[in-house]
Structures are given as C-alpha cells and as structure tokens.
C-alpha cells in the first residue's frame, strides 16, 4: 500500500528553467512532509520540509508547496542547475511517529 | 556522510546464509533506522531503534532482526537470506522523531543474494 506516490519517474528540464516535482499522498494523518535528494552511490540527503500548518516553505532556490485538501505537495527549483540532476524522494510522516513513508522517486535531469 | 558509516558497502551472499550489516554513528543521536531501497518502492523502513536495546518494527520487518547494544552501533541481520532481500540498504540517524528533523543517511550497502 503506497501511501506516498510520485507518479513521474523522470523529468527533464533546461538549465535556468523551473523544475516542478510532484507528490501525492493518501493518508490524511500525515502532517509533516520532506524532500530528499539522492545522487548515485550516495545516501539520500535532506533538502527541505514543511509541516501541515503551512502551505509554503522556501529555502533559497527550493520551495515546497502543500495543498492539504488535494493531498498534494510539490517541490519547485528555480533556477534549475545541472548539479540538481539527481533522484528526488518525497516523504511523509505523522507527529511523533518514526515511520516515515517515501515515494518511489523522480529522476530529475537538468540539461546545460 | 562523515557522522554515519555503513559496512560493508557491497556484499554478495548465498541463499539461506545469515548476513549482518553494520551501521556506526559518531553523532550520539538517539534514533537509528534501517531502510531498504527497491525500484518502484522508494525507501521502506525495516526496523528502527529509539535507544540502546530499544527497537521496533517497521513496514517490512519480516526476515530481519536488529540489535543495538551501544548508542553508536545498529546491526541489521538477515537470518536466512533470500533473493527477495537483494536490495540497497540504508541506515539513517536522527536526534529526535522525524518532526523537525531530516534524517541523515549513510551511503548504503548493496546486498546481492544469489
């Protein structure tokens, strides 16, 4: 039962343009959401998070948007850079719960 | 990441043999986790620990056991390895529950069961 879904396995964008990665979840009890970036042969690294009391969180070029009614979140990267090419995982959790659920990942390729 | 190391990085083992993977941290974090990554599934939690000798099951715990006798070490054991356990295994650490913290992951162990 995949409670966190990333329906786009891959995304390709041009350098300097916006990258938008999408994530849907089914469990309405999730109240904390995270994005991780993963390079080949490395572990995932934490990128940005958002709690359910907010609908937007920004950190430099990265912005996460949360639409609770649609159970949807998205990660915007502006402007995209070739170094952003990686697999991005969306994750979700409940307050004080250690079982963080991950999506299957989206491979982002940023072309120079 | 310098604060967390996994060993071995790669292992090939035969079906039916026991296998132990090690996670070592130098951050003195309370929580440690074992995940497996498989295509189409993302990362799935196997077991986690919230202190020395305190562990609990995750989403895919069948066929796995864990032990934590010291704060810095978290061991994952495949009691009798099967081909379905071929995967990349990641250890993660955090100072608290996921709320407010992003986990720090190790570089992974690629396990192949033949």
């Amino acid at each position: 039962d995949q409670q966190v879904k990333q329906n786009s396995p891959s995304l390709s964008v041009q350098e300097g343009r916006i990258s938008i990665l999408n994530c849907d979840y089914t469990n309405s009890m999730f109240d904390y959401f995270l994005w991780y970036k993963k390079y080949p042969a490395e572990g995932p690294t934490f990128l940005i998070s958002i709690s359910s009391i907010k609908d937007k969180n920004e950190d430099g070029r990265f912005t996460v948007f949360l639409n609770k009614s649609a159970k949807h979140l998205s990660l915007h990267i502006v402007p995209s850079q070739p170094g952003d090419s990686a697999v991005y995982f969306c994750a979700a959790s409940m307050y004080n719960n250690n079982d963080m659920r991950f999506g299957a990942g989206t491979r982002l390729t940023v072309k120079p | 990441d310098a604060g967390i190391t996994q060993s071995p990085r790669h292992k090939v083992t035969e079906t039916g043999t026991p296998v132990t993977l090690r996670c070592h941290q130098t951050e003195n974090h309370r929580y440690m986790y074992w995940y497996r990554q498989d295509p189409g599934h993302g990362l799935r939690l196997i077991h986690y620990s919230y202190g020395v000798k305190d562990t609990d099951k995750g989403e895919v715990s069948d066929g796995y056991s864990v032990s934590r006798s010291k704060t810095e070490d978290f061991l994952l054991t495949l009691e009798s390895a099967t081909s379905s356990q071929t995967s990349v295994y990641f250890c993660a650490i955090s100072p608290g529950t996921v709320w407010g913290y992003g986990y720090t992951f190790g570089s992974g162990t690629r396990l192949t069961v033949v």
Side-chain angles (χ1 to χ4, degrees):
Chain A
D1 173 30
Q2 193 109 23
Q3 297 185 36
V4 179
K5 298 179 183 179
Q6 294 176 257
N7 293 318
S8 298
S10 63
L11 174 68
S12 181
V13 300
Q14 209 64 35
E15 181 179 6
R17 306 294 289 268
I18 184 172
S19 296
I20 300 176
L21 296 93
N22 294 304
C23 178
D24 297 295
Y25 60 96
T26 58
N27 189 340
S28 59
M29 298 297 291
F30 288 143
D31 53 12
Y32 193 64
F33 305 89
L34 308 92
W35 285 93
Y36 285 82
K37 180 168 74 172
K38 185 183 179 306
Y39 293 118
E42 294 183 11
T45 55
F46 171 69
L47 195 56
I48 192 169
S49 63
I50 187 168
S51 70
S52 59
I53 61 174
K54 294 185 174 182
D55 54 19
K56 176 183 173 181
N57 189 26
E58 202 169 346
D59 184 1
R61 296 186 296 114
F62 302 91
T63 302
V64 56
F65 295 92
L66 175 62
N67 182 333
K68 290 185 290 293
S69 61
K71 295 192 182 69
H72 177 84
L73 63 156
S74 61
L75 175 68
H76 293 211
I77 306 173
V78 184
S80 301
Q81 299 173 354
D84 296 329
S85 297
V87 176
Y88 289 79
F89 291 100
C90 169
S93 183
M94 290 175 270
Y95 179 70
N96 251 3
N97 188 297
N98 289 286
D99 190 358
M100 185 164 54
R101 297 295 176 108
F102 284 80
T106 296
R107 181 177 303 277
L108 173 66
T109 303
V110 181
K111 297 179 179 178
Chain B
D1 200 284
I4 177 172
T5 54
Q6 293 184 232
S7 58
R9 290 296 311 274
H10 301 271
K11 186 169 182 66
V12 180
T13 191
E14 293 186 350
T15 299
T17 60
V19 177
T20 296
L21 310 182
R22 181 180 183 241
C23 178
H24 179 78
Q25 62 147 328
T26 57
E27 305 295 325
N28 201 35
H29 284 341
R30 178 183 176 190
Y31 292 87
M32 298 186 76
Y33 312 83
W34 277 107
Y35 280 86
R36 60 178 288 175
Q37 183 196 2
D38 303 290
H41 289 280
L43 289 90
R44 291 179 292 174
L45 181 64
I46 305 171
H47 283 279
Y48 69 95
S49 169
Y50 48 95
V52 173
K53 293 187 172 26
D54 292 323
T55 65
D56 205 349
K57 296 179 179 180
E59 184 186 2
V60 290
S61 60
D62 287 349
Y64 302 94
S65 62
V66 290
S67 66
R68 191 170 178 197
S69 58
K70 297 185 290 185
T71 299
E72 57 265 35
D73 290 324
F74 192 32
L75 304 180
L76 176 71
T77 297
L78 287 65
E79 293 136 11
S80 177
T82 67
S83 58
S84 65
Q85 293 176 312
T86 292
S87 186
V88 181
Y89 291 84
F90 288 100
C91 177
I93 60 175
S94 69
T97 58
V98 68
W99 249 79
Y101 301 99
Y103 296 172
T104 300
F105 282 86
S107 299
T109 294
R110 182 173 295 275
L111 176 69
T112 303
V113 183
V114 297

